[in-house]
Structure formats: C-alpha cells, structure tokens
Amino acid sequence: MGEQAFAARRSGAVDLLTGAPWKKILRFAVPLFIGNLFQQFYNTADSIIVGRFVGHVALAAVGVSGPLMFLLVSVFMGVAMGSGILISQYFGAKNAEALRRTMHTALVLAFCAGLFLSIIGFVLAAPFLRFMNVPEETFASAETYMKIIFIGVTSMMMYNMLSGFMRSLGNSRTPLYILIFSTLTNVVLDLLFVVPLGMGVAGAAWATIISQFLSCIIAIISLHRTSPLTRIVLKELRIDWDATREIIRLGIPTAIQQGVMSIGGVVIQGFVNSYGTAMIAGHNAAMRVDMFALMPVMSFSMSMVSYTGQNVGAGQMDRVYLGAKQGMMLCMSFIAFMSFILYFFGQYVLHMFTDDVQTLAAGIMIIRTVSPFYIFMAASQILGGVIRGSGETMSPMLNALMSNIFARIPLVFLFSYLLPGAQGIYLSQVGGMAFGLAHMLFIYSRGGWKKKALERIGFLQKGKADLPAEEETGRLQKVEGLPESEGMPQAEGLPQAEGLPQAEKLPES
C-alpha cells in the first residue's frame, strides 16, 4: 500500500499538515465540540429522564455510579489514546504498513479489555458502591444501573477505539454523525423504557447499552468503507507485539492519568455522599452542566493531539509550535464566554434535571464556585494535548497525579475542615486546576517533550519506503532548523473534506 492510499479521499477529513493552523484546528474541533455536546447529552439523558419521571433518588443512583464507572473504564482507555497517537503519527509519516498493523492490534486489545472489564464491573459493583458509602435508599438502584451498563461496556470501548482512529486521520465529522444517531436512539429508548414501560433506572441503562452497540456496528462499517488505509481485514486482526509495546508505552501513562483523575473523583464523591441524597443529586446535575461547559476545552485538546501527532510524523515542528499558540488563543476565548454564560445563567439549566429546592440550591452553589476558574483548565488541557501528540505521555500523567491527588485531595480535607457546608469540596477543585496549570506551564517551557518529538520523527521513518530518501532528509533538516531553502516539501495529495463522493458517506443504520 503506497502513496495513493494516503491520497484517497476520506469522508469528513481535514488536512492538518498544511494551511493556517488556527483555521484547521478550529475546523477539526467544531465537529468534536458538537460531538462532545451530544456525548454529554447522551450521558445526561439518563439523569434528566429518571430525575423527571422516577424521582430524585433515582437521579442520585445514576449520578453516584458515574465516577466509579469512569474509574474502571478509564484505565483501559489508555489503549485507545496510545493507538490514536501512533496512528496520527504514522499517517503524518505516510507509513501505511505500520498504521494498519497498529489499527488491527488495537482493535483486538480493545475487545479483550472490554470483555474483561464487563466481568469485573458486574461482579464488583456492589462492593465498590459499599466502599463509596452510597446511602441505602440509593444503593439498590445504583447497583442495578451499574451492572447493566457493564454488560455493554465492550461495545462502548470498541466504538471509542474506532472513532479515535477516524479522528487520528483527521476525520472528526463521521464520529459526529454516528454519535448523533446514537444519542437520539438513546433518548427514544430512555423515554420508552422509563415512562410507558416503567423500568426505572434499569430501563435507562438498557437504553444506553443498546444505543452503544448500534453505534459500534455503524462505526465498524464506516471505517471499513472509508479508505483502503482503514479497511478492516479479519486475517489481520491479531496482536502484533511490536505494535502492542508501542501502544502500551504511549497508552499506560494516559491510562494512569485517567485512573488518577477517576480516583480523585471517587474520593470527592465520597465527601459529597456524606451530605445526603439532595447534595448527591445536586452534585450530579452540576457536574453534568460542568461537562457541557468544558466541551470546548476537551474538543480543542483532542484536536491538538491529532494536529500535533500528524505534524510530528511529517517532521513539521514549526507548525507544532505555531499551532500550540493559536490553539491556546482559540480555546481561551471560547471558555471565557462559556464561564460567563454558566455563572449568570447556569441555574436555568439546572431546572432541566429537577425542581427540588435543596437539589437546585446545591447545584447553583457548585456552579458559581467553579465556573469562574475554567480558564485554568483550558490552558492546561491545550498544553497537555500538544505534549501527548508529540509522543510524550508521561508528563501529562504526572501533572494529573500531582493536581488531582497531591493537590486537590489534601485541599478538600483542609477546606472541609475550615469551611461550613460542602463548598470546600469545590474550592479544592479550583485549587487543583490552578496547581495543574502551573505545573503544565513548567513542563511545556522546560522542553523535554520537544526532544521526545525529534526522537519520534526518526523512529517513525524507520523501514518506511513510501517517501524518497531526499524528501525524508528535507523533513529532518527543517526540524533541526536549517535554512528555509533546504526546508521540508509540503505534503502532497492529502485529502480535502469538500466534494466527497456519495459512496463514502456514513452508511444507513
């Protein structure tokens, strides 16, 4: 498979290797942002529907399950992140053989991890909920919801892996289409199972896993039909140990990072649980709103991973530096606007979840404590996306460890002791974000990730026969700062998003 495979048109693709970085980052991020909104609405639909039609106890049951499920799933999501970084770098380097080997290996790993996680989550749901000090009135519903969700966790992991492949290749639009379909399916099934059939939290859980399964099937079909580069071949679905080692090397720090953040979330949830059911429900509603507000941050951070990965693979470090600056400006502008809206109008959003006075009061307190400081999170996540995309995943992991464990958890103990009520829990979140930004600025300015990126460029070109030797030499000369006349040629034949043939559109469900 040669150069023509990389020149093949891909539905929804954005060429991240040429043009003004801020335009390409924004164009790539917009479908991610819309998709993340739908993803949060997907996750929030269960809370809204059970809160409205079952009650605030059911709302608390769905909410209290979230941090624990995220903890168990996030450890395995490092596999998806590691493979996504590799695929974006191999695509930038035009190394088709390594790209396909990594893709097929990652799919096998994701399937096996999903099956293992289903068993662990189902068996240990009750002990974990006991450990989190879940109130008795909420316990049975929370256990039911968790067990059903974990039955379908394999489909969720496979879908996340497949959509990650598409984004790594510059295609953020097709995952959006699939997610819209899945979200609408989830809402319809939620309403059907919870309202007329009266299945309660169990109905909401079944609606979620059915819609996840359908989205996984559509993603498989779409990826297979998009390009020869991403065609899934059964005989290639095997574990390649060289690819596995690279995925683990890049993915394990990300998995630890996600796990550390989840542990912090579980600890915080334990503090929240001690304030009773109304506080739990208010926390659940506020955190759902919080996630909506942070969608621009997550979208730009994900964009920076793919943007940086492809440009590192292509040896274009000048574009990496410029993209980091422009991506930061975009993200900071968006999150400042979101913080303003949420601080002054967030209470109206909370009414979607409940009309319970105590629950609303708790949610408003949380939002107004945290939202003015979202800008700390925005800056930290952009820098982290650049560093992860370069192939350096240890530094963001250490940052998560320090900000969520060594900063936030001691602060929550301190503030809970010094301040009355639950506000100290959320002031500790602000403190953790501030510490995380200071540490990430230090990591970025220190520059170790730049050395890692230069090392990756040499590694990615090993054994690759797609490019002439003189073109590879030109790329490396550009990286090492030689005169412009000896610089790197622009990547040719990269796909554009416009004018795609009808056959490459998302298949009908």
Side-chain angles (χ1 to χ4, degrees):
M1 188 177 298
E3 188 82 14
Q4 66 274 14
F6 293 88
R9 292 188 172 188
R10 296 169 288 119
S11 175
V14 177
D15 175 9
L16 298 173
L17 296 172
T18 60
W22 73 268
K23 292 182 180 179
K24 297 304 179 73
I25 292 168
L26 180 61
R27 184 178 167 191
F28 185 77
V30 167
L32 284 178
F33 174 59
I34 299 172
N36 282 331
L37 285 174
F38 272 92
Q39 181 67 60
Q40 288 308 309
F41 183 66
Y42 184 105
N43 296 337
T44 305
D46 291 355
S47 297
I48 293 175
I49 292 171
V50 300
R52 279 286 174 184
F53 295 101
V54 184
H56 74 283
V57 173
L59 174 61
V62 173
V64 80
S65 307
L68 181 56
M69 289 188 294
F70 184 67
L71 170 60
L72 295 177
V73 172
S74 64
V75 175
F76 293 94
M77 292 309 293
V79 175
M81 179 64 75
S83 60
I85 293 170
L86 278 175
I87 286 173
S88 65
Q89 292 182 347
Y90 284 134
F91 180 79
K94 298 187 178 181
N95 192 334
E97 190 273 334
L99 188 154
R100 290 187 55 78
R101 186 174 66 246
T102 301
M103 183 185 77
H104 284 84
T105 297
L107 286 174
V108 175
L109 292 174
F111 182 78
C112 294
L115 288 179
F116 175 76
L117 190 58
S118 291
I119 297 171
I120 294 297
F122 189 89
V123 171
L124 298 181
F128 278 135
L129 290 171
R130 293 285 183 201
F131 174 76
M132 291 175 62
N133 195 31
V134 174
E136 284 300 324
E137 62 178 325
T138 308
F139 187 91
S141 296
E143 182 183 8
T144 298
Y145 185 81
M146 278 192 63
K147 285 186 173 181
I148 296 172
I149 289 293
F150 274 110
I151 290 174
V153 77
T154 303
S155 297
M156 182 194 69
M157 293 195 64
M158 291 293 291
Y159 166 73
N160 284 325
M161 182 70 75
L162 293 161
S163 61
F165 292 163
M166 298 177 198
R167 288 190 292 268
S168 297
L169 300 175
N171 181 1
S172 58
R173 201 179 298 175
T174 301
L176 169 61
Y177 300 152
I178 300 173
L179 188 56
I180 291 173
F181 164 80
S182 183
T183 301
L184 296 176
T185 302
N186 184 44
V187 171
V188 171
L189 292 178
D190 265 337
L191 291 170
L192 174 64
F193 293 162
V194 173
V195 184
L197 297 182
M199 295 173 63
V201 295
W206 281 113
T208 296
I209 68 171
I210 291 171
S211 56
Q212 285 175 347
F213 176 77
L214 294 175
S215 66
C216 177
I217 296 300
I218 296 173
I220 290 173
I221 295 171
S222 179
L223 190 71
H224 184 79
R225 295 178 57 181
T226 295
S227 163
L229 201 63
T230 58
R231 192 163 293 152
I232 301 172
V233 179
L234 290 178
K235 66 180 181 179
E236 294 184 40
L237 286 171
R238 61 181 182 271
I239 294 180
D240 179 275
W241 294 111
D242 288 336
T244 300
R245 280 190 290 270
E246 279 296 293
I247 291 171
I248 291 174
R249 186 186 68 80
L250 292 174
I252 287 298
T254 303
I256 295 173
Q257 176 184 349
Q258 297 297 321
V260 164
M261 294 173 66
S262 302
I263 290 170
V266 170
V267 172
I268 297 304
Q269 185 70 57
F271 274 88
V272 173
N273 292 347
S274 66
Y275 286 91
T277 300
M279 187 65 207
I280 296 172
H283 174 84
N284 179 27
M287 289 300 101
R288 299 296 188 184
V289 176
D290 179 86
M291 288 304 299
F292 274 112
L294 289 174
M295 283 303 98
V297 174
M298 299 300 105
S299 302
F300 281 116
S301 180
M302 292 167 66
S303 298
M304 295 312 302
V305 174
S306 296
Y307 172 88
T308 304
Q310 287 194 21
N311 281 281
V312 165
Q316 302 185 137
M317 288 300 292
D318 54 340
R319 280 183 62 80
V320 172
Y321 305 143
L322 182 59
K325 295 177 182 177
Q326 296 183 2
M328 178 73 74
M329 293 175 62
L330 280 171
C331 187
M332 300 282 271
S333 300
F334 271 86
I335 200 58
F337 174 75
M338 293 298 292
S339 296
F340 175 84
I341 294 296
L342 193 56
Y343 186 87
F344 289 103
F345 303 103
Q347 66 268 29
Y348 301 110
V349 182
L350 290 172
H351 278 283
M352 291 193 305
F353 296 88
T354 183
D355 291 325
D356 181 76
V357 175
Q358 289 182 310
T359 299
L360 287 172
I364 292 169
M365 177 274 292
I366 295 167
I367 287 175
R368 289 186 172 170
T369 300
V370 177
S371 62
F373 303 98
Y374 285 155
I375 197 166
F376 296 161
M377 175 72 75
S380 179
Q381 287 295 316
I382 290 297
L383 297 177
V386 173
I387 292 171
R388 281 194 298 273
S390 73
E392 167 58 293
T393 55
M394 284 294 294
S395 295
M397 182 270 287
L398 291 173
N399 181 264
L401 180 66
M402 296 182 70
S403 60
N404 285 276
I405 302 299
F406 297 135
R408 186 179 181 186
I409 290 181
L411 285 175
V412 76
F413 280 98
L414 176 63
F415 290 149
S416 295
Y417 175 77
L418 294 177
L419 300 173
Q423 189 175 25
I425 297 174
Y426 304 99
L427 288 175
S428 73
Q429 181 178 346
V430 174
M433 289 191 295
F435 183 89
L437 173 58
H439 185 241
M440 188 60 76
L441 285 169
F442 172 75
I443 293 171
Y444 185 85
S445 60
R446 190 177 179 184
W449 66 276
K450 299 175 186 178
K451 180 180 179 181
K452 178 72 70 174
L454 295 175
E455 293 173 355
R456 291 294 299 166
I457 290 169
F459 172 81
L460 291 166
Q461 302 294 334
K462 283 184 180 179
K464 183 177 70 62
D466 289 320
L467 293 176
E470 60 270 20
E471 185 174 345
E472 293 186 2
T473 300
R475 290 177 181 231
L476 292 176
Q477 287 173 335
K478 178 66 176 178
V479 170
E480 294 172 359
L482 293 182
E484 186 67 24
S485 61
E486 300 181 28
M488 179 194 65
Q490 293 294 319
E492 297 176 358
L494 288 168
Q496 301 296 320
E498 295 82 17
L500 295 171
Q502 184 71 20
E504 295 184 349
K505 290 185 178 179
L506 183 68
E508 293 294 332
S509 60

